[in-house]
Amino acid sequence: NAGVMQNPRHLVRRRGQEARLRCSPMKGHSHVYWYRQLPEEGLKFMVYLQKENIIDESGMPKERFSAEFPKEGPSILRIQQVVRGDSAAYFCASSPQGKTDTQYFGPGTRLTVL
Amino acid sequence: QKEVEQNSGPLSVPEGAIASLNCTYSDRVSQSFFWYRQYSGKSPELIMSIYSNGDKEDGRFTAQLNKASQYVSLLIRDSQPSDSATYLCAVRPSGGSYIPTFGRGTSLIVHP
């Protein structure tokens, strides 16, 4: 009974490169959430998706960041032209249909921008 | 701007003592409240949820909610060194897409 899976676990990029973070929800879960956590800070909501649909992207920066959850395959968080301030832990969570407050978190991707 | 406030700590307690972690929130009509535990370098793990005023107990953990005071707390009885972690309070808002807002967390250290 696999939990939420994220890969890669660690990602190093140089300024200006693109970062792609992947998340596979728990089996049977149709909702995916992305959060960012900076050192010494709490979790900041970024985006909430269902299959082929963005439900809430109120926490996403207006530029360079995008997310998708296609009909087949994992959810992708894409960061274009990364800057040092993008260095953080990015967590994905999933929940069953209709239960946005019952979220199970993946292990996270630690992004380091050189 | 809906806010969730926690003392960052660290809160240091001796093994076997009761650890008390506190959280206040600004959205008066919030309905759902959660405590997550996060070990260093790991992901958050849901340990308690509470929806109505009063206490809710689960093993060594007790969540307390006072909606009139906009205050939620987590008590850990018989604290163990393995309880040393950061505890995140999360509050689900009353509207929108119902995504919980997280506090910054309180670092708990249980020393032998």
Side-chain angles (χ1 to χ4, degrees):
Chain A
N1 187 15
V4 179
M5 293 188 290
Q6 289 187 250
N7 65 80
R9 296 290 302 277
H10 300 274
L11 182 61
V12 179
R13 285 288 178 266
R14 296 191 181 279
R15 282 180 295 169
Q17 292 183 319
E18 178 179 288
R20 285 197 177 211
L21 288 62
R22 288 176 289 276
C23 169
S24 296
M26 285 182 69
K27 186 176 181 180
H29 286 191
S30 57
H31 298 199
V32 165
Y33 315 82
W34 286 95
Y35 294 85
R36 177 166 61 178
Q37 187 173 42
L38 292 165
E40 308 304 320
E41 293 194 14
L43 286 167
K44 300 297 184 184
F45 167 73
M46 300 181 75
V47 63
Y48 163 31
L49 311 103
Q50 295 179 14
K51 288 280 188 183
E52 299 184 285
N53 199 9
I54 296 175
I55 306 301
D56 182 347
E57 56 181 349
S58 58
M60 285 280 270
K62 298 300 181 189
E63 298 178 350
R64 302 190 296 109
F65 285 73
S66 63
E68 62 176 1
F69 190 13
K71 185 176 181 181
E72 301 291 337
S75 175
I76 306 285
L77 178 68
R78 183 182 178 201
I79 311 172
Q80 296 178 295
Q81 299 177 313
V82 296
V83 300
R84 289 209 172 118
D86 297 331
S87 296
Y90 291 84
F91 290 100
C92 168
S94 72
S95 71
Q97 178 81 21
K99 292 191 174 185
T100 58
D101 53 357
T102 308
Q103 298 186 12
Y104 298 87
F105 282 83
T109 295
R110 270 80 182 167
L111 173 65
T112 301
V113 179
L114 301 178
Chain B
Q1 179 80 15
K2 299 180 175 65
E3 294 183 351
V4 177
E5 299 289 340
Q6 294 181 259
N7 188 322
S8 62
L11 173 66
S12 183
V13 301
E15 184 174 357
I18 296 175
S20 177
L21 304 160
N22 305 316
C23 172
T24 59
Y25 59 94
S26 62
D27 183 3
R28 177 169 291 277
V29 296
S30 294
Q31 297 296 318
S32 309
F33 308 85
F34 311 91
W35 283 100
Y36 285 80
R37 178 176 61 200
Q38 186 175 24
Y39 292 112
S40 180
K42 302 296 185 182
S43 59
E45 173 192 11
L46 180 66
I47 55 172
M48 289 286 286
S49 57
I50 186 167
Y51 304 96
S52 54
N53 278 328
D55 295 0
K56 178 181 178 182
E57 187 174 317
D58 183 1
R60 295 186 297 112
F61 298 98
T62 299
Q64 298 177 318
L65 175 60
N66 183 325
K67 290 185 179 181
S69 300
Q70 295 175 237
Y71 176 96
V72 57
S73 64
L74 178 70
L75 301 178
I76 306 174
R77 289 182 300 281
D78 188 24
S79 295
Q80 302 297 310
S82 59
D83 295 326
S84 299
T86 296
Y87 290 80
L88 304 174
C89 172
V91 177
R92 177 182 165 181
S94 54
S97 59
Y98 303 105
I99 303 298
T101 298
F102 285 81
R104 291 191 173 193
T106 297
S107 174
L108 172 67
I109 299 172
V110 181
H111 52 87

